[in-house]
Every structure is written in structure tokens, then in C-alpha cells.
Amino acid sequence: GKDPRDASYVTSRFCGVCYSVHQMASSLCLDEAFKAQVPWPGTLLRNLAMGAEYIYDHPLHFYQLSALDYLDIMAIANYTGKDKKLIAVKDKIVGLVKRNDTFPLTPRYKPDEYCVNDPDVVIGAVKHYLKALKVHAKARQMGAIFGGRAPHYQSIVVGGCTQYPDLNMVARFKTMLDEQARFVNEVYIPDVLAFGTGPLFPLAKLGVGGGHYNYLSYGSLELSPNGDGKMVFPAGVIKNMDPAAIKVDKFDQSKITESVDYAWYKESKPVHPYDGEQEFDLKAKQAYSFVKAPRYEGEAMEVGPLARMLVAKNADLIGLVKKGVKPGAVARHAARAIETKLVVDACYTWLDQLTAEMMKPGFKIHDTDHWEPPATGKGAGFYEAPRGALGHWIKIKDHKIEKYQCVVPSTWNASPRCDNEKRGQYEESLIGVPVPDPDNPLNVVRVIRSFDPCLACAIHIIDPKTNELKKFLVQ
């Protein structure tokens, strides 16, 4: 019943972390429903704002949300080096311990055999952890230059963008991008590769957290204006992957369905998102999740950085696979770092292209001829969010929203079983994962966190023997 143009602003508020991705996917589905043709400069502005999100999101995930699962943080106390900056880090952490004020470094799980406990390595990682916080803040500021503000960009709308850029904005963005590029190339990527091919290589070779080996990418971030389909992240589907001969099929959105057999929704057959409903049934007999079960041709899929880099057959990731790294938790961190560099490099290209477009007569960033809502229409918007494939679907009737549905990345990865009893990717990825101590499930945490989950409203952990709710430390 709302004005369709409100959708991009409302859906942006789904999340305060991945806000702009919903605005982007929503604008794309409105573009199709309104039959709007976004001018190339409008696409460039969208890409730059969204690129900034990748650049802040991925290092944040590695340093702030995952790295502590692989470090014995208290090993810092044993650092005996002479580096003044590292000594300052040691003094800071030891001081926090003495004051019993170690959040967010603790609470933590007990370190295991895969946790790095070399004081020199650990203190260097913590130094980068602290640096990443500052870099992260600047990346958000960078996104606000073309997004209008952060969080919740204001400038991305149906038909393009609303804020005309000037050369000062371009220069500011580039200056900040230079700093981000240095961090990504000189700190983030070396750290990920050093851990993945060093102390964590045994986990990488085991492929802990592999799952179904089915991968999906919608494709996004255009690289050229001529409609040749070249993107930073190409679209494609991989089923039952053979690492020695990766076969990528063409993506077809009509093959997406959602099952609710094991979710707290009113019983129904699997349907396409255009026809999806949100009718809850808290007494559903088999249900154990509020997450639906999206499937592609009936198969559970993994979405996210690993899926994107495999679909793209990225040479750097394939090189790691040839060295013995199997698809799994460690490989996801590597894929995330690799694609961050791809986005950084693309941002430089987009800035050059935008500058050239700004010099041309008739510079245009919005299709103003298709601003008013149509009487009827429908559209689908597909975008590759940092966490994975994101889809929005809209139906319009009498110039108003008749129906609106979303399938988000964590729905793909965290889905429960479906109508044909196939487990979701999280579930499948945990099969065979060693858990020596159920009260210290560090490997479980490593696997799930490697997906970069966004599931605050859908997490339920139950002891399979007692059916009692389990309590775990969550950082």
C-alpha cells in the first residue's frame, strides 16, 4: 500500500551494518518495475558508494569478528621485543587485563591447537586489529561522499542517483581510497595469506566447513557502459563442484524457490519469491527456525565471497586451491581478502570514468523520465552484497506496492532443511567438524563466522540430548 519509491529507504533500515546493499537491491528492482534506464554516470556513483561498503566490511569481518577465534590473545603478555609501538600495544592489553576490562577481546573460547600463540605474531595481529578500526571508520566516511550520508545512504534511488558530484568530491574519495588501498595491500591481504598458508594451513587443507559445494552468484558492479556484461563479480551457478574442473552454469532467477517446511510459517509448497508470503505459524510441527529455505533448482547453495571467487574462477583463489587449500572456513577468509582488492582496483577505474563523464555535455545521473510509479508492474533486483547474493522482488498495483519480498544472503546460507530434506549450507558445513569439547565449540564458531552471518533474530542453539537451550560466549 505504500509508494514504491519508499521501498529503497525502508528496506535500507533492515540492517544497520549492511544498510546500503538493501537500498541498492531495492533500487534495482524498482528500476525494472519502472522501466528506468540508469545513465552510466548514475551507475558509476552507485558503484563507488557500494564499493566503499565492501572496503570497510571485509576487513572488519576478518579483524574484529573472526581473527580472535584463531589467536591466543593473552600470549601478548610474553612479548619481549623492542618495537616501541608493539610494546605500547602490549602495555595497553596487559593494562586492560589488570583492570578486568578486556572487552571486546574477551569473553572468548579457550584456545585450541590451531590458535596462534607466538607472542610476536599475536601482538602484530592485535596491532592490525586496532589499526583496522580506524581504517574502517574512514571507509564509511568515504561511502558517504557519494551516498549522501552513512549509515543509510540517501542518494541511491530508482532511476539512478540524486546527488551530482563535483571534482572536490572525486578528489576526497580518491585520497581516502589511497589510504584504504595501502591497508588492503600491505596489511589485510598479507595477514590473511600468512595465517591461511601458515598456522591455519592444516585447517585449510582439511577443508573444515566445506558444506554442499554448490555456489551461487547473482553478479554485480558493472565495469563498462556498453552492456557487455563485464562485472567485478560475474553471475553464475556451480553445482557439486569439482575443484579440478569447475563448471559454471548461467544464472536463471526463475529457478529460485523458498520452502517453509521446517520454518515457523504457514504450510505451503515451495514458491518463487514473487509469490512468497509471510504468514507465521508458531505451532508448525517440524519447524526449528524463522529462516526460510531458499533453493536453486531444489539445491541448497552457498553465497558470498567464496562463491563469487569460484564462479569467477579467480586465479589467486584457484592458485591457493592448487596448493592444497580446500573450500571451507579458511578459504572463505582468503576469498574475502582477494575480492576486496578487486573492488579497490575497480574504484580507481570508476573514478577515472566518472571524471571523464563529468567533462561531457549533458552529464546525467538519473532517468527523470521514469520517476513516477507505473500503474502496474513488477521487478526483481539482484545484487552481490558483501555477505552474498541479495534479491528483492516487487509487484505494483494502482501505483502502490502490492507485494514485496526479499531473499537475503544469510537466508541462503543459514536456511533450515527444505521440502526434500536437504540441509542448509550452515548445517551441511558443520557435518564432520571436530568438537572435542561441546562447551568450548571453537571449530563450530570458526565455521559459522567464516560466512559472516547476520542472524541476530534467528539463532537458537539447543542441546540435542537434553533439549535445553545452550549458553555460549558470543563476542
Side-chain angles (χ1 to χ4, degrees):
K2 302 292 185 181
D3 189 313
R5 292 168 296 190
D6 290 343
S8 60
Y9 295 109
V10 173
T11 59
S12 174
R13 272 71 180 175
F14 283 173
C15 179
V17 177
C18 51
Y19 48 89
S20 58
V21 301
H22 289 290
Q23 187 171 30
M24 185 67 188
S26 181
S27 295
L28 289 169
C29 87
L30 293 173
D31 290 342
E32 182 173 303
F34 283 49
K35 294 182 170 54
Q37 300 296 316
V38 180
W40 176 238
T43 296
L44 290 173
L45 290 170
R46 285 178 171 185
N47 287 352
L48 287 164
M50 302 308 300
E53 172 146 354
Y54 268 92
I55 295 168
Y56 86 66
D57 191 275
H58 282 350
L60 171 70
H61 173 263
F62 178 70
Y63 289 104
Q64 276 69 50
L65 303 180
S66 293
L68 296 179
D69 295 334
Y70 300 95
L71 299 175
D72 182 354
I73 194 70
M74 296 310 168
I76 287 177
N78 299 320
Y79 176 69
T80 58
K82 304 300 182 183
D83 187 305
K84 291 183 179 180
K85 292 183 179 179
L86 295 182
I87 291 174
V89 173
K90 173 185 174 179
D91 292 343
K92 181 179 181 66
I93 301 302
V94 171
L96 290 173
V97 171
K98 290 180 178 179
R99 295 194 300 271
N100 196 28
D101 183 23
T102 54
F103 180 83
L105 301 178
T106 62
R108 61 172 184 156
Y109 291 102
K110 298 175 185 176
D112 66 3
E113 61 186 296
Y114 296 108
C115 282
V116 179
N117 56 17
D118 183 313
D120 293 327
V121 176
V122 174
I123 199 168
V126 173
K127 176 186 175 183
H128 294 162
Y129 173 103
L130 297 172
K131 185 174 183 178
L133 290 171
K134 297 179 180 179
V135 173
H136 161 81
K138 291 182 179 179
R140 289 221 180 199
Q141 295 169 13
M142 189 170 72
I145 292 174
F146 295 125
R149 72 174 191 183
H152 307 302
Y153 295 157
Q154 291 289 89
S155 64
I156 299 175
V157 297
V158 57
C161 291
T162 61
Q163 179 183 219
Y164 272 98
D166 57 38
L167 293 178
N168 178 59
M169 295 166 67
V170 172
R172 286 168 53 212
F173 192 98
K174 185 179 183 302
T175 298
M176 301 174 82
L177 179 62
D178 288 341
E179 182 177 0
Q180 300 295 323
R182 285 193 295 272
F183 181 80
V184 169
N185 293 323
E186 299 172 12
V187 179
Y188 176 37
I189 291 178
D191 276 355
V192 172
L193 295 181
F195 276 83
T197 58
L200 302 184
F201 195 52
L203 282 175
K205 287 193 297 182
L206 290 172
V208 170
H212 286 291
Y213 304 110
N214 299 326
Y215 303 97
L216 169 66
S217 171
Y218 289 156
S220 61
L221 299 177
E222 300 89 336
L223 289 169
S224 64
N226 55 19
D228 59 11
K230 290 184 179 180
M231 297 184 175
V232 176
F233 306 127
V237 179
I238 299 172
K239 294 182 182 177
N240 194 25
M241 188 189 74
D242 176 3
I246 299 176
K247 181 178 181 293
V248 180
D249 296 323
K250 185 177 180 181
F251 165 63
D252 179 354
Q253 72 116 343
S254 68
K255 296 179 179 180
I256 298 172
T257 57
E258 284 190 295
S259 166
V260 296
D261 281 41
Y262 287 89
W264 283 296
Y265 295 95
K266 183 179 178 181
E267 183 178 353
S268 71
K269 295 180 179 179
V271 295
H272 187 274
Y274 268 133
D275 302 312
E277 299 289 348
Q278 301 293 114
E279 296 185 45
F280 294 106
D281 180 3
L282 300 182
K283 296 182 180 179
K285 293 181 180 179
Q286 301 182 111
Y288 61 94
S289 177
F290 281 108
V291 180
K292 293 182 180 180
R295 296 293 184 262
Y296 187 89
E297 287 190 310
E299 299 292 337
M301 311 298 290
E302 175 172 340
V303 300
L306 182 58
R308 286 191 287 263
M309 293 298 94
L310 289 171
V311 166
K313 297 183 181 181
N314 177 267
D316 292 322
L317 184 65
I318 299 302
L320 290 174
V321 172
K322 290 180 178 178
K323 290 180 180 179
V325 174
K326 294 181 180 179
V330 177
R332 289 186 191 100
H333 291 296
R336 198 170 276 112
I338 290 168
E339 71 174 19
T340 304
K341 177 173 172 52
L342 294 180
V343 173
V344 167
D345 293 344
C347 281
Y348 282 109
T349 299
W350 293 325
L351 281 175
D352 290 341
Q353 291 174 328
L354 179 62
T355 302
E357 293 290 333
M358 290 168 66
M359 301 299 111
K360 296 178 181 179
F363 177 63
K364 188 177 180 181
I365 63 173
H366 187 267
D367 180 4
T368 55
D369 293 334
H370 292 87
W371 174 245
E372 296 300 325
T376 60
K378 68 178 186 177
F382 301 100
Y383 181 70
E384 280 298 315
R387 287 177 172 87
L390 170 64
H392 283 222
W393 288 262
I394 189 172
K395 287 184 178 180
I396 298 173
K397 183 179 180 180
D398 297 329
H399 305 281
K400 302 292 184 181
I401 296 174
E402 179 185 22
K403 179 174 288 189
Y404 202 101
Q405 290 286 316
C406 309
V407 179
V408 306
S410 290
T411 307
W412 279 104
N413 288 331
S415 71
R417 298 185 187 217
C418 59
D419 57 299
N420 58 14
E421 301 298 323
K422 291 185 178 179
R423 288 184 285 260
Q425 176 62 1
Y426 282 4
E427 296 176 329
E428 188 68 21
S429 70
L430 292 175
I431 302 299
V433 171
V435 186
D437 181 359
D439 292 320
N440 190 56
L442 191 49
N443 282 328
V444 171
V445 172
R446 286 169 174 154
V447 170
I448 298 303
R449 266 208 268 263
S450 72
F451 290 95
D452 194 6
C454 186
L455 277 173
C457 62
I459 295 176
H460 309 277
I461 305 175
I462 295 177
D463 187 302
K465 293 182 179 180
T466 66
N467 209 36
E468 293 178 354
L469 208 61
K470 297 288 286 184
K471 294 182 179 180
F472 294 108
L473 302 177
V474 179
Q475 297 176 353

